[in-house]
């Protein structure tokens, strides 16, 4: 009777545990119609966020890391995903028990996904791959407004077909030539009775200490493959030209090392009418730090007489008005400062309740274009008018300069 009661309690406990198990889709933060790409993206972000190496001593983070790994392990496999969708956690568990696979190693999952040995490479025993630098050109409009875009680069991935083993059947044997050490001792005769022992890389296994009977057809035994990889890039508002965005452990993968970092440099794209869908004047602004520069062309009449206005459409399409009242003269080369119409000044808090953007200035340089030809009647009228006022109030610049005239040379 006592035994039956204990068995009943154990059954109830397991049943409650199954009911309390959190939904795998909720663990990854995706819905049930999520694609493989969405599952990968969710796992990539969450596994790095909760990895024990980044959260030392945080038991809750470790538990979340394990839960995220388990959820992705089930949902990334089409067969186990179908079983889970139909029968839930219990169905997956029964399936694994029947197949002799009672669980999974979350660090092994992380290793296969990111490369290396399941950790971020802080240990000196774990080799780390090289960082990869990529330059991405961004329009001035996106630097000003902020944007989220996507770029592709040819990244080295651990082969998914063979899970980084290089073997079609995932079976790897120790090299019989070197005994799995990757090196072998070679005796070389230097002179009669004199020998030298040298350690050389095993040419039978290429120094790996392992051999493969049947090469993977996808990677040809290389264990890795190159393929275009999409990366989501977020440009903060006001980000500096040539600023850098770091993606930890997103460089080339390999079973032999922990993936290095992907370093993305934001370069400014040359202005182009083709890359200006809104037709804003701001696309042709020039940037220096937090300030913007613009050259405005004026006719002789506008520079001399005033009485004109211009509307510049800024990078976010708001209007900046330039102009002069009638009678206001502008000299060619004059620079006007328009306060607060430059670039937003970058701040780590970005667009949030904790931060309000300040802006640099817009500097407008005026260039006066003189007419290269006039009608005869217009030329005569202008000459007579200028001669009249020159004789009355004009200044002789030659005499005013104090320079010697030609007759005095």
């Amino acid at each position: 009777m006592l035994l039956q009661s204990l068995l009943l309690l154990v059954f109830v406990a397991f049943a409650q545990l199954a009911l309390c198990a959190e939904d795998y889709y909720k663990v990854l933060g995706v819905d049930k119609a999520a694609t493989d790409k969405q599952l990968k993206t969710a796992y990539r972000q969450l596994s790095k966020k909760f990895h024990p190496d980044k959260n030392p001593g945080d038991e809750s983070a470790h538990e979340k890391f394990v839960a995220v790994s388990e959820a992705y392990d089930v949902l990334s496999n089409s067969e186990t995903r179908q079983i889970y969708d139909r029968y839930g956690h219990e169905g997956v568990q029964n399936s694994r028990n029947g197949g002799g696979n009672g669980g999974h190693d979350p660090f092994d999952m992380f290793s296969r996904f990111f490369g290396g040995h399941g950790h971020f490479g802080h240990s000196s025993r774990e080799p780390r791959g090289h960082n990869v630098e990529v330059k991405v050109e961004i329009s001035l409009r996106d630097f000003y407004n902020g944007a989220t875009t996507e770029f592709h680069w040819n990244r080295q991935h651990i082969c998914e077909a063979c899970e980084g083993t290089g073997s079609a059947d995932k079976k790897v044997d120790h090299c019989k030539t070197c005994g799995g050490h990757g090196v072998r001792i070679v005796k070389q005769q230097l002179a009669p009775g004199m020998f030298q022992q040298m350690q050389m890389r095993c040419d039978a296994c290429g120094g790996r200490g392992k051999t493969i009977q049947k090469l993977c057809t996808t990677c040809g035994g290389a264990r890795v493959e190159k393929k275009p990889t999409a990366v989501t890039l977020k440009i903060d508002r006001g980000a500096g030209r040539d600023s850098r965005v770091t993606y930890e452990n997103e460089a080339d993968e390999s079973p032999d090392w922990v993936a290095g970092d992907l370093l993305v440099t934001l370069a400014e794209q040359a202005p182009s009418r083709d890359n200006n869908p809104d037709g804003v004047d701001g696309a042709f602004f020039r940037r220096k730090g937090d300030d913007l520069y613009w050259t405005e062309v004026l006719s002789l009449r506008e520079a001399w007489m005033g009485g004109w206005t211009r509307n510049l459409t800024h990078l976010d399409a708001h209007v900046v008005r330039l102009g002069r009242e009638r009678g206001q003269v502008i000299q060619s080369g004059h620079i006007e400062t328009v306060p607060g119409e430059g670039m937003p000044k970058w701040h780590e808090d970005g667009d949030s309740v904790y931060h309000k953007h300040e802006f640099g200035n817009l500097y407008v340089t005026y260039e006066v274009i003189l007419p290269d030809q006039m009608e005869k009647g217009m030329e005569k009228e202008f000459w007579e008018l200028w001669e009249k006022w020159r004789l009355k109030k004009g200044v002789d610049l030659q005499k005013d300069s104090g320079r010697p005239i030609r007759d005095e040379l």
Side-chain angles (χ1 to χ4, degrees), residues 393-407:
K393 291 187 176 181
V395 175
D396 190 324
L397 295 179
Q398 172 63 41
K399 292 181 179 180
D400 192 59
S401 68
R403 299 171 185 168
I405 59 177
R406 182 177 297 274
D407 293 343

Side-chain angles (χ1 to χ4, degrees), residues 54-335:
K54 301 191 79 172
N55 303 274
D58 188 342
E59 188 61 31
S60 63
H62 182 273
E63 292 175 357
K64 290 178 180 177
F65 174 75
V66 173
V68 166
S69 176
E70 181 180 353
Y72 182 72
D73 186 38
V74 171
L75 299 182
S76 61
N77 184 296
S78 59
E79 293 183 7
T80 53
R81 184 175 181 177
Q82 290 179 3
I83 294 172
Y84 176 74
D85 289 342
R86 293 187 64 182
Y87 305 108
H89 295 82
E90 186 178 356
V92 174
Q93 193 63 39
N94 290 338
S95 174
R96 282 177 169 172
N97 291 339
N101 181 11
H104 77 290
D105 181 356
F107 291 100
D108 180 62
M109 170 71 68
F110 191 88
S111 173
R112 285 189 282 116
F113 202 92
F114 289 96
H117 309 285
H119 297 273
F120 277 91
H122 300 302
S123 169
S124 60
R125 294 173 299 174
E126 295 178 328
R128 178 182 172 87
H130 294 292
N131 294 339
V132 174
E133 296 193 20
V134 177
K135 182 174 287 188
V136 178
E137 290 191 341
I138 305 298
S139 68
L140 182 59
R141 179 181 63 252
D142 288 341
F143 275 113
Y144 183 90
N145 296 304
T148 299
T149 185
E150 188 176 80
F151 70 93
H152 292 76
W153 72 290
N154 206 30
R155 185 190 185 199
Q156 177 176 289
H157 292 260
I158 294 175
C159 179
E160 295 182 357
C162 64
E163 297 183 353
T165 62
S167 171
D169 55 9
K170 302 182 181 63
K171 292 182 180 180
V172 181
D173 301 319
H174 285 292
C175 176
K176 295 179 180 179
T177 304
C178 64
H181 298 292
V183 293
R184 59 193 182 93
I185 305 299
V186 178
K187 183 182 287 188
Q188 184 177 16
Q189 183 175 357
L190 301 177
M194 294 181 62
F195 295 89
Q196 180 186 29
Q197 284 189 337
M198 299 178 60
Q199 181 175 288
M200 300 180 61
R201 190 179 75 162
C202 177
D203 51 8
C205 64
R208 290 179 53 201
K210 299 174 182 178
T211 58
I212 299 169
Q213 299 299 322
K214 189 176 181 181
L215 295 179
C216 172
T217 56
T218 301
C219 65
R223 303 183 297 159
V224 293
E225 57 177 334
K226 288 272 190 178
K227 56 184 178 181
T229 303
V231 179
T232 300
L233 177 63
K234 184 179 184 298
I235 302 108
D236 292 332
R237 199 174 181 203
R241 184 196 293 123
D242 295 327
S243 58
R244 179 175 282 180
V245 181
T246 301
Y247 295 83
E248 293 183 357
N249 304 104
E250 295 290 333
D252 287 331
E253 296 178 341
S254 171
D256 298 328
W257 65 63
V258 177
D261 298 336
L262 175 64
L263 308 176
V264 180
T265 300
L266 305 181
E268 186 177 323
Q269 196 175 65
S272 163
R273 295 191 183 279
D274 295 333
N275 192 29
N276 187 18
D278 300 324
V280 297
D281 299 306
F284 297 92
F285 285 166
R286 301 174 303 283
R287 179 185 184 183
K288 186 176 181 180
D290 294 327
D291 298 321
L292 293 173
Y293 293 80
W294 172 261
T295 299
E296 185 64 26
V297 176
L298 298 179
S299 67
L300 175 61
R301 183 194 67 80
E302 291 172 323
W304 187 29
M305 302 298 295
W308 60 270
T309 60
R310 294 278 200 286
N311 287 333
L312 296 182
T313 51
H314 213 295
L315 288 157
D316 61 352
H318 81 269
V319 173
V320 177
R321 174 161 289 192
L322 306 175
R324 289 293 186 276
E325 298 291 335
R326 181 173 175 177
Q328 290 184 313
V329 178
I330 292 183
Q331 301 290 342
S332 184
H334 172 73
I335 299 175

Side-chain angles (χ1 to χ4, degrees), residues 342-377:
M343 290 292 294
K345 297 181 179 180
W346 181 86
H347 193 278
E348 60 183 1
D349 288 336
D351 292 312
S352 69
V353 295
Y354 304 105
H355 173 251
K356 183 178 180 181
H357 277 292
E358 297 178 344
F359 291 80
N361 297 326
L362 171 64
Y363 294 95
V364 180
T365 301
Y366 291 101
E367 296 291 344
V368 180
I369 303 300
L370 301 178
D372 57 357
Q373 58 183 353
M374 287 187 292
E375 294 181 0
K376 188 65 177 177

